[in-house]
Amino acid sequence: MSSPAQQHAQDAARFTDLVESASAEDWRRPSPVAEWAAVDVVKHLVEWSRGFLKGAGIDLPALDVDADPAEAWRRHVTDIQAIVDDPAGRILSNPHLGELPVDAAIDQFYTSDVWMHSWDLAKALGREPELGEQRCAAALAGMAPIEQMLRDSGQFGAAVAVADDAPAQDRLMAFIGRDPAWRP
């Protein structure tokens, strides 16, 4: 099992590779998330997490993702990695989650979001993502029992029908409301 710092470094590196491979024109490409272009995937990860961290007393400066998505992402990854590398005993307090060590909160909510949204960005860029069958199966097993709560949160779209024997990655993406066969 990886530490929060190791997991973030791994998942952020995969996402960074995608970001670095994008051309200026690629940022306008549609993504599998309704009404989002590729740049919006990056913007989502940067903006919500910076707001989320205010619950730990961490006030990171806003980044202009639209002006330079790759530069904003690189700065953001550096900021988040510094926090998980040295959480300094900080506790994140959130009215919906209670109190959690900041590195655990980042790992549970943000790093997993980076991992799953790497699928969206890869698809938007015309690439085939590979999230890992075991990790996808484990994530799906953890989410299935709380499906109604997840759906009620508004964070996921309606489930997409896929075969019961579809690969775990396809079943996970379908569970969170993505069409595994989506193409730009």
Side-chain angles (χ1 to χ4, degrees), residues 18 29-32 38 117-129 169-170 173 179-184:
L18 291 167
R29 292 175 65 133
S31 86
H117 280 299
S118 66
W119 187 91
D120 296 318
L121 186 56
K123 285 287 202 175
L125 298 175
R127 294 176 181 81
E128 280 305 312
Q169 179 174 288
D170 289 355
M173 291 300 110
D179 178 355
W182 185 91
R183 299 280 182 265

Tab-separated table of all heavy atoms in Angstrom, residues 18 29-32 38 117-129 169-170 173 179-184:
chain	number	residue	atom	x	y	z
A	18	LEU	N	-0.086	13.355	-19.521
A	18	LEU	CA	-1.162	13.712	-20.440
A	18	LEU	C	-1.179	15.219	-20.701
A	18	LEU	O	-1.278	15.659	-21.842
A	18	LEU	CB	-2.518	13.262	-19.883
A	18	LEU	CG	-2.754	11.767	-19.824
A	18	LEU	CD1	-3.970	11.444	-18.965
A	18	LEU	CD2	-2.913	11.203	-21.234
A	29	ARG	N	-10.640	20.532	-27.093
A	29	ARG	CA	-11.324	19.286	-27.483
A	29	ARG	C	-12.370	18.907	-26.441
A	29	ARG	O	-12.163	19.123	-25.245
A	29	ARG	CB	-10.308	18.152	-27.620
A	29	ARG	CG	-9.353	18.350	-28.800
A	29	ARG	CD	-8.305	17.278	-28.809
A	29	ARG	NE	-8.921	15.973	-29.042
A	29	ARG	CZ	-8.470	15.077	-29.902
A	29	ARG	NH1	-7.400	15.325	-30.618
A	29	ARG	NH2	-9.077	13.919	-30.035
A	30	PRO	N	-13.481	18.312	-26.865
A	30	PRO	CA	-14.491	17.865	-25.894
A	30	PRO	C	-13.948	16.746	-25.020
A	30	PRO	O	-13.047	16.014	-25.418
A	30	PRO	CB	-15.647	17.370	-26.771
A	30	PRO	CG	-15.012	17.048	-28.088
A	30	PRO	CD	-13.828	17.968	-28.236
A	31	SER	N	-14.514	16.640	-23.835
A	31	SER	CA	-14.155	15.548	-22.929
A	31	SER	C	-15.387	14.687	-22.693
A	31	SER	O	-16.497	15.095	-23.032
A	31	SER	CB	-13.636	16.117	-21.599
A	31	SER	OG	-14.698	16.385	-20.722
A	32	PRO	N	-15.213	13.526	-22.080
A	32	PRO	CA	-16.362	12.669	-21.788
A	32	PRO	C	-17.319	13.263	-20.748
A	32	PRO	O	-18.418	12.764	-20.568
A	32	PRO	CB	-15.736	11.380	-21.254
A	32	PRO	CG	-14.312	11.425	-21.627
A	32	PRO	CD	-13.945	12.863	-21.771
A	38	ALA	N	-11.234	19.620	-22.670
A	38	ALA	CA	-10.060	19.064	-21.988
A	38	ALA	C	-9.553	20.015	-20.905
A	38	ALA	O	-9.220	19.585	-19.798
A	38	ALA	CB	-8.968	18.752	-23.002
A	117	HIS	N	-9.999	11.160	-13.218
A	117	HIS	CA	-10.081	12.157	-14.290
A	117	HIS	C	-8.972	12.003	-15.319
A	117	HIS	O	-9.063	12.582	-16.407
A	117	HIS	CB	-10.104	13.578	-13.719
A	117	HIS	CG	-11.442	13.985	-13.209
A	117	HIS	ND1	-12.561	14.054	-14.022
A	117	HIS	CD2	-11.846	14.361	-11.969
A	117	HIS	CE1	-13.595	14.456	-13.306
A	117	HIS	NE2	-13.193	14.644	-12.050
A	118	SER	N	-7.942	11.209	-15.019
A	118	SER	CA	-6.939	10.943	-16.053
A	118	SER	C	-7.594	10.176	-17.204
A	118	SER	O	-7.200	10.328	-18.360
A	118	SER	CB	-5.723	10.211	-15.494
A	118	SER	OG	-6.042	8.921	-15.061
A	119	TRP	N	-8.627	9.415	-16.890
A	119	TRP	CA	-9.391	8.727	-17.934
A	119	TRP	C	-10.052	9.760	-18.838
A	119	TRP	O	-9.984	9.660	-20.065
A	119	TRP	CB	-10.432	7.807	-17.287
A	119	TRP	CG	-11.158	6.920	-18.246
A	119	TRP	CD1	-10.795	5.660	-18.620
A	119	TRP	CD2	-12.376	7.200	-18.941
A	119	TRP	NE1	-11.712	5.145	-19.511
A	119	TRP	CE2	-12.688	6.076	-19.721
A	119	TRP	CE3	-13.229	8.295	-18.992
A	119	TRP	CZ2	-13.822	6.008	-20.542
A	119	TRP	CZ3	-14.355	8.238	-19.811
A	119	TRP	CH2	-14.641	7.107	-20.568
A	120	ASP	N	-10.680	10.774	-18.231
A	120	ASP	CA	-11.361	11.812	-19.012
A	120	ASP	C	-10.386	12.564	-19.906
A	120	ASP	O	-10.669	12.817	-21.078
A	120	ASP	CB	-12.057	12.821	-18.088
A	120	ASP	CG	-13.171	12.199	-17.269
A	120	ASP	OD1	-13.941	11.388	-17.818
A	120	ASP	OD2	-13.274	12.534	-16.075
A	121	LEU	N	-9.247	12.958	-19.348
A	121	LEU	CA	-8.290	13.730	-20.134
A	121	LEU	C	-7.689	12.874	-21.248
A	121	LEU	O	-7.546	13.338	-22.382
A	121	LEU	CB	-7.191	14.323	-19.249
A	121	LEU	CG	-6.228	15.270	-19.967
A	121	LEU	CD1	-6.972	16.431	-20.646
A	121	LEU	CD2	-5.187	15.798	-18.985
A	122	ALA	N	-7.364	11.642	-20.940
A	122	ALA	CA	-6.830	10.753	-21.984
A	122	ALA	C	-7.834	10.612	-23.120
A	122	ALA	O	-7.471	10.746	-24.296
A	122	ALA	CB	-6.491	9.382	-21.393
A	123	LYS	N	-9.078	10.368	-22.795
A	123	LYS	CA	-10.111	10.225	-23.834
A	123	LYS	C	-10.254	11.508	-24.643
A	123	LYS	O	-10.370	11.469	-25.865
A	123	LYS	CB	-11.452	9.843	-23.207
A	123	LYS	CG	-11.530	8.403	-22.752
A	123	LYS	CD	-11.626	7.480	-23.936
A	123	LYS	CE	-12.217	6.156	-23.571
A	123	LYS	NZ	-12.422	5.286	-24.726
A	124	ALA	N	-10.247	12.667	-23.973
A	124	ALA	CA	-10.370	13.944	-24.668
A	124	ALA	C	-9.216	14.141	-25.648
A	124	ALA	O	-9.390	14.734	-26.712
A	124	ALA	CB	-10.412	15.094	-23.666
A	125	LEU	N	-8.041	13.640	-25.285
A	125	LEU	CA	-6.863	13.777	-26.138
A	125	LEU	C	-6.755	12.669	-27.184
A	125	LEU	O	-5.770	12.583	-27.912
A	125	LEU	CB	-5.600	13.812	-25.271
A	125	LEU	CG	-5.518	14.981	-24.290
A	125	LEU	CD1	-4.284	14.847	-23.399
A	125	LEU	CD2	-5.538	16.322	-25.011
A	126	GLY	N	-7.765	11.786	-27.222
A	126	GLY	CA	-7.780	10.721	-28.222
A	126	GLY	C	-6.897	9.542	-27.871
A	126	GLY	O	-6.500	8.776	-28.741
A	127	ARG	N	-6.611	9.373	-26.588
A	127	ARG	CA	-5.766	8.264	-26.143
A	127	ARG	C	-6.614	7.233	-25.384
A	127	ARG	O	-7.665	7.565	-24.871
A	127	ARG	CB	-4.648	8.790	-25.255
A	127	ARG	CG	-3.694	9.675	-26.034
A	127	ARG	CD	-2.629	10.275	-25.154
A	127	ARG	NE	-1.741	11.136	-25.903
A	127	ARG	CZ	-2.008	12.389	-26.234
A	127	ARG	NH1	-3.155	12.933	-25.897
A	127	ARG	NH2	-1.137	13.111	-26.908
A	128	GLU	N	-6.096	6.038	-25.285
A	128	GLU	CA	-6.782	5.005	-24.521
A	128	GLU	C	-6.176	4.944	-23.125
A	128	GLU	O	-5.014	4.573	-22.962
A	128	GLU	CB	-6.684	3.647	-25.213
A	128	GLU	CG	-7.681	3.482	-26.333
A	128	GLU	CD	-9.124	3.721	-25.896
A	128	GLU	OE1	-9.562	3.175	-24.872
A	128	GLU	OE2	-9.819	4.478	-26.596
A	129	PRO	N	-6.937	5.301	-22.119
A	129	PRO	CA	-6.415	5.291	-20.754
A	129	PRO	C	-6.303	3.884	-20.190
A	129	PRO	O	-7.039	2.987	-20.587
A	129	PRO	CB	-7.453	6.096	-19.980
A	129	PRO	CG	-8.712	5.956	-20.765
A	129	PRO	CD	-8.306	5.786	-22.203
A	169	GLN	N	-12.262	-1.449	-15.526
A	169	GLN	CA	-12.162	-0.025	-15.858
A	169	GLN	C	-13.442	0.459	-16.541
A	169	GLN	O	-13.965	1.523	-16.210
A	169	GLN	CB	-10.951	0.222	-16.760
A	169	GLN	CG	-10.805	1.676	-17.167
A	169	GLN	CD	-9.525	1.924	-17.926
A	169	GLN	OE1	-8.462	1.891	-17.325
A	169	GLN	NE2	-9.615	2.165	-19.224
A	170	ASP	N	-13.966	-0.312	-17.468
A	170	ASP	CA	-15.207	0.072	-18.145
A	170	ASP	C	-16.374	0.108	-17.160
A	170	ASP	O	-17.212	1.019	-17.208
A	170	ASP	CB	-15.537	-0.900	-19.278
A	170	ASP	CG	-14.603	-0.758	-20.469
A	170	ASP	OD1	-13.745	0.157	-20.474
A	170	ASP	OD2	-14.738	-1.576	-21.406
A	173	MET	N	-15.976	3.291	-14.945
A	173	MET	CA	-16.334	4.511	-15.680
A	173	MET	C	-17.839	4.575	-15.921
A	173	MET	O	-18.452	5.635	-15.784
A	173	MET	CB	-15.569	4.584	-17.000
A	173	MET	CG	-14.083	4.817	-16.820
A	173	MET	SD	-13.713	6.368	-15.960
A	173	MET	CE	-13.111	5.772	-14.398
A	179	ASP	N	-19.442	6.910	-20.575
A	179	ASP	CA	-19.587	5.863	-21.577
A	179	ASP	C	-18.195	5.360	-21.925
A	179	ASP	O	-17.395	6.106	-22.489
A	179	ASP	CB	-20.270	6.429	-22.823
A	179	ASP	CG	-20.424	5.417	-23.931
A	179	ASP	OD1	-19.931	4.274	-23.805
A	179	ASP	OD2	-21.014	5.787	-24.968
A	180	PRO	N	-17.874	4.120	-21.567
A	180	PRO	CA	-16.531	3.603	-21.842
A	180	PRO	C	-16.141	3.655	-23.326
A	180	PRO	O	-14.966	3.705	-23.654
A	180	PRO	CB	-16.579	2.160	-21.350
A	180	PRO	CG	-17.686	2.133	-20.356
A	180	PRO	CD	-18.696	3.150	-20.852
A	181	ALA	N	-17.129	3.687	-24.209
A	181	ALA	CA	-16.848	3.717	-25.646
A	181	ALA	C	-16.791	5.142	-26.192
A	181	ALA	O	-16.655	5.332	-27.408
A	181	ALA	CB	-17.923	2.913	-26.389
A	182	TRP	N	-16.857	6.149	-25.333
A	182	TRP	CA	-16.881	7.552	-25.778
A	182	TRP	C	-15.637	7.878	-26.600
A	182	TRP	O	-14.531	7.449	-26.288
A	182	TRP	CB	-16.935	8.469	-24.553
A	182	TRP	CG	-17.087	9.908	-24.901
A	182	TRP	CD1	-18.246	10.595	-25.040
A	182	TRP	CD2	-16.033	10.862	-25.148
A	182	TRP	NE1	-17.998	11.907	-25.359
A	182	TRP	CE2	-16.642	12.083	-25.436
A	182	TRP	CE3	-14.650	10.781	-25.160
A	182	TRP	CZ2	-15.914	13.237	-25.725
A	182	TRP	CZ3	-13.911	11.915	-25.453
A	182	TRP	CH2	-14.548	13.123	-25.733
A	183	ARG	N	-15.848	8.639	-27.656
A	183	ARG	CA	-14.767	9.153	-28.490
A	183	ARG	C	-15.021	10.633	-28.734
A	183	ARG	O	-16.162	11.042	-28.876
A	183	ARG	CB	-14.728	8.436	-29.855
A	183	ARG	CG	-14.490	6.934	-29.781
A	183	ARG	CD	-13.019	6.628	-29.582
A	183	ARG	NE	-12.745	5.211	-29.547
A	183	ARG	CZ	-12.654	4.495	-28.421
A	183	ARG	NH1	-12.835	5.043	-27.265
A	183	ARG	NH2	-12.379	3.209	-28.471
A	184	PRO	N	-13.931	11.422	-28.857
A	184	PRO	CA	-14.135	12.855	-29.135
A	184	PRO	C	-14.699	13.088	-30.531
A	184	PRO	O	-14.538	12.268	-31.399
A	184	PRO	CB	-12.734	13.446	-29.007
A	184	PRO	CG	-11.780	12.324	-29.048
A	184	PRO	CD	-12.537	11.084	-28.706
